[in-house]
Amino acid sequence: MSPASAARVLDPASLDRLRGLVTLADGVHDDLSTPAARAALARAELVVTGWGAPVLTPEVLAAAPRLRAVVHAAGSVRHHLPPAVWDRGVAVSSAAAANAVPVAEFTLAVVLLAGKRVLASAAEYRARRVLAAGEVCASGGNHGATVGVLSASLVGRRVVELLRPHDLTVLVHDPHVDPGEVRRLGAEPVGLLELAERSDVLTVHTPLLPETRGLVDAGVLARLRDGATVVNTARGAVIDAAALTAELVSGRLHAVLDVTDPEPLPPDSPLWDRPNVLLTPHVAGSAGNELRRLAEAAVDEVERFAAGRPFRHPVAHPERSRTA
C-alpha cells in the first residue's frame, strides 16, 4: 500500500499484533520493482495491501514464489488484484465488510434526514429568518415512509438492518438474491421499476460492474415520485449522470450524493449550487477512528491465516464474483 495509507490505517496496536503473528518485512512498498520490494516478495507468504496498492502483475507474482495469501485492509480488490492471483491459487480476503459499517451508518443518517426534509427546511429557514408561531418550513416525516434499497450488497444488507427499528417500509431490488432471502433480511423484494415507483428515498448500494454502469437511467429516475430523494454512497457511474442532473436541476427530485460521475464534479456543474442537492466528498467510507476497524479486520484475517484457518471474509475470483 502507499506509505500514507499505512500510516493512516495500521496504528501501533495493529502493528504490534502483526508482529506477534508473523515476521514483518521491513518497510512499506508501493513500488514493487525496487530491489527492497523484490527481496521482500521473494520471502513473502502473505501480503497485506491497502489504498494505493500497486497491481500484482504476473511479473510481481513470479517474484513471489511463496505467496499464498493477500489480505486487503480496505474494500475493493479489483484495482490491484488481477485474475492471475486467484488462478495461482492465492487466497484473498478483504475488509469490505468492515468498511460497509460506516457507509451504512452514513446512509441511515441521510435517509432519515431526507424523510424529515431537513435540507429544504434549513434552506427555507435560512432565507426567511423568521417563522410565525406554530409555523413550519418544508414538511416531511418518516412515519410509514418507503425506502428503496438498490442491491443487497454488504452495505445494502447493513442498511436494511439499520433501517429495521424505524417505522419504515423497506424494499430491495437485487436480481441475484433469492426473494426469500430478501424477506429474511426484513425487506420486500421488488423489481427495479417498482422500487423507483414506490420509494420516497432510493438509496444506491450497487457495485460498479459493466452490467451496472448507468443502471439507474432516465427511465428509472422518471418513475420516482415528485419530491423523492436519491442517495448514492456506492459509485457515481451506477446512475446516469446526465439524467440525474436534469431531474435535479428541474427541482423535481432531491439528492444526497457522496459519489458522482465524474468525481469530483466539474466546477461549473449546476449541482454545486442546487438547494435540493447535498454533495459530500466521498466521506461515507471509513475515516478517522473508523480506520481502526479496517486494521482490526485485516489483522484478524492474518491471525486466521497464521493459525492455518480459512479466511472469515474471502473474496471470490473476479470472474465469478459480483462484488466491486
Side-chain angles (χ1 to χ4, degrees):
M1 64 186 77
S2 72
S5 292
R8 290 171 58 208
V9 176
L10 298 176
D11 59 288
S14 298
L15 288 171
D16 285 344
R17 277 190 67 197
L18 280 174
R19 292 187 186 99
L21 296 168
V22 296
T23 300
L24 281 181
D26 292 332
V28 176
H29 303 283
D30 58 357
D31 180 353
L32 298 182
S33 65
T34 66
R38 288 303 168 100
L41 285 170
R43 304 191 308 273
E45 297 175 84
L46 168 72
V47 171
V48 177
T49 63
W51 291 307
V55 178
L56 269 64
T57 62
E59 293 75 20
V60 171
L61 292 175
R66 302 178 64 193
L67 183 64
R68 294 191 287 129
V70 176
V71 170
H72 189 50
S76 175
V77 300
R78 285 182 176 264
H79 305 295
H80 69 292
L81 299 186
V85 172
W86 286 265
D87 292 342
R88 236 245 334 245
V90 174
V92 177
S93 172
S94 166
N99 194 51
V101 174
V103 179
E105 291 171 347
F106 178 93
T107 301
L108 171 67
V110 297
V111 164
L112 295 177
L113 289 174
K116 292 288 288 184
R117 287 286 184 256
V118 167
L119 284 178
S121 294
E124 185 178 346
Y125 193 27
R126 186 182 305 112
R128 295 172 61 180
R129 306 293 174 99
V130 64
L131 293 175
E135 185 181 7
V136 297
C137 292
S139 61
N142 287 304
H143 180 73
T146 299
V147 179
V149 177
L150 182 53
S151 183
S153 59
L154 285 171
V155 177
R157 290 166 185 261
R158 182 73 173 176
V159 168
V160 172
E161 179 183 347
L162 294 179
L163 291 171
R164 195 176 298 137
H166 302 277
D167 192 7
L168 300 163
T169 297
V170 181
L171 314 176
V172 169
H173 171 69
D174 192 323
H176 303 292
V177 177
D178 181 79
E181 184 177 355
V182 172
R183 294 187 183 94
R184 286 190 292 274
L185 292 173
E188 179 185 346
V190 296
L192 179 57
L193 295 183
E194 184 179 354
L195 186 80
E197 289 170 350
R198 293 175 57 187
S199 293
D200 297 295
V201 179
L202 173 65
T203 180
V204 178
H205 303 291
T206 301
L208 181 60
L209 304 170
E211 60 268 30
T212 63
R213 184 175 292 274
L215 176 66
V216 182
D217 59 15
V220 174
L221 293 170
R223 298 292 185 109
L224 287 164
R225 62 189 64 179
D226 291 354
T229 299
V230 177
V231 176
N232 192 1
T233 58
R235 290 291 182 266
V238 173
I239 304 179
D240 182 307
L244 179 62
T245 298
E247 290 279 17
L248 295 174
V249 169
S250 76
R252 194 181 76 82
L253 299 179
H254 302 260
V256 178
L257 306 176
D258 191 51
V259 291
T260 55
D261 182 28
E263 188 176 328
L265 290 173
D268 60 350
S269 169
L271 299 188
W272 288 111
D273 299 318
R274 293 297 308 172
N276 55 327
V277 179
L278 174 62
L279 296 172
T280 55
H282 212 129
V283 299
S286 298
N289 58 24
E290 295 164 340
L291 296 173
R292 296 176 194 166
R293 188 185 285 117
L294 299 182
E296 291 166 1
V299 178
D300 285 348
E301 293 290 63
V302 172
E303 184 174 35
R304 295 177 72 88
F305 173 81
R309 299 161 61 197
F311 286 139
R312 186 181 300 277
H313 300 289
V315 179
H317 192 295
E319 293 179 359
R320 296 188 292 273
S321 173
R322 292 187 296 272
T323 58

